[in-house]
């Protein structure tokens, strides 16, 4: 299971990091940090970095590959996708939670303006043909539905 604890991106308060289920105290100020994916360690992981380029900090540490970080509108939560096609959400000091009831091969999460929904891409591969559709997950009700039925590939919602 992928494990990440996200220190508040826009808050000057420090939070705990979770690395494979263990909480580690980190009192570094991560206010105004930028979240990004990097292959620096030989595996895609989520990192944070100050806008000046100082203090890079690896936030995820797992055998899975984590990419496509997306901050909630208020900066308090982080959504990201793994190479296993799952989307996870984590808040400060919390254990990551997988969004339940998603279709297979999900990626590219993006938050709704109110922070209550996540739009994402779900890929299908049928008879050698790749296709994708935009889906939306309501984080309050748990309802997951296809957002649009279009031919070919859709990706990178924002």
């Amino acid at each position: 299971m992928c494990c990440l604890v996200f220190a508040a991106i826009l808050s000057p308060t420090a939070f705990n990091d979770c690395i494979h289920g263990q909480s580690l105290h980190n009192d570094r100020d991560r206010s105004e940090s930028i979240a990004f994916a990097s292959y620096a360690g030989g595996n895609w992981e989520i990192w944070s970095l100050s806008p000046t380029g100082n203090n890079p900090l690896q936030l995820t540490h797992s055998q899975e590959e984590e990419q496509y970080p997306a901050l909630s509108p208020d900066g308090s939560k982080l959504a990201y996708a793994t190479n296993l096609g799952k989307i996870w959400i984590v808040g400060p000091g919390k254990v990551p939670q997988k969004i339940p009831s998603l279709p297979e091969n999900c990626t590219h999460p993006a938050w709704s303006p109110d922070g209550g929904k996540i739009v994402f891409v779900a890929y299908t591969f049928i008879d050698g043909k790749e296709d994708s559709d935009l889906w939306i997950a309501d984080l309050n009700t748990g309802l997951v539905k296809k957002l649009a039925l279009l031919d070919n590939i859709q990706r990178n919602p924002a």
Side-chain angles (χ1 to χ4, degrees):
M1 175 160 109
C2 177
C3 187
L4 160 80
V5 169
F6 174 65
I9 292 294
L10 299 177
S11 168
T13 318
F15 295 92
N16 292 331
D17 287 333
C18 182
I19 302 172
H20 298 297
Q22 299 174 351
S23 280
L24 300 176
H25 181 67
N26 184 330
D27 54 3
R28 183 177 121 188
D29 179 4
R30 294 190 212 145
S31 62
E32 299 181 14
S33 293
I34 298 165
F36 64 97
S38 175
Y39 197 75
N43 190 35
W44 285 104
E45 301 287 352
I46 306 296
W47 289 66
S48 70
L49 181 70
S50 75
T52 61
N54 295 324
N55 304 321
L57 180 66
Q58 186 174 346
L59 300 176
T60 61
H61 302 267
S62 77
Q63 293 179 353
E64 291 181 32
E65 294 186 340
E66 294 88 14
Q67 293 191 70
Y68 312 110
L71 293 173
S72 63
D74 67 1
S76 69
K77 295 179 185 170
L78 179 73
Y80 61 93
T82 70
N83 61 316
L84 298 179
K86 306 300 178 195
I87 296 178
W88 296 77
I89 296 176
V90 66
K94 305 289 185 184
V95 174
Q97 299 293 315
K98 182 172 59 173
I99 299 177
S101 305
L102 297 185
E104 293 185 11
N105 305 313
C106 296
T107 187
H108 296 87
W111 293 86
S112 64
D114 68 359
K117 297 178 179 81
I118 296 279
V119 65
F120 59 94
V121 176
Y123 284 90
T124 56
F125 306 93
I126 300 172
D127 296 328
K129 183 178 184 257
E130 178 181 12
D131 193 14
S132 69
D133 290 298
L134 297 178
W135 288 68
I136 193 161
D138 187 314
L139 302 176
N140 298 313
T141 66
L143 180 65
V144 177
K145 65 180 183 176
K146 194 177 289 190
L147 197 56
L149 184 57
L150 301 169
D151 288 334
N152 297 315
I153 296 173
Q154 290 76 54
R155 64 179 182 188
N156 303 324

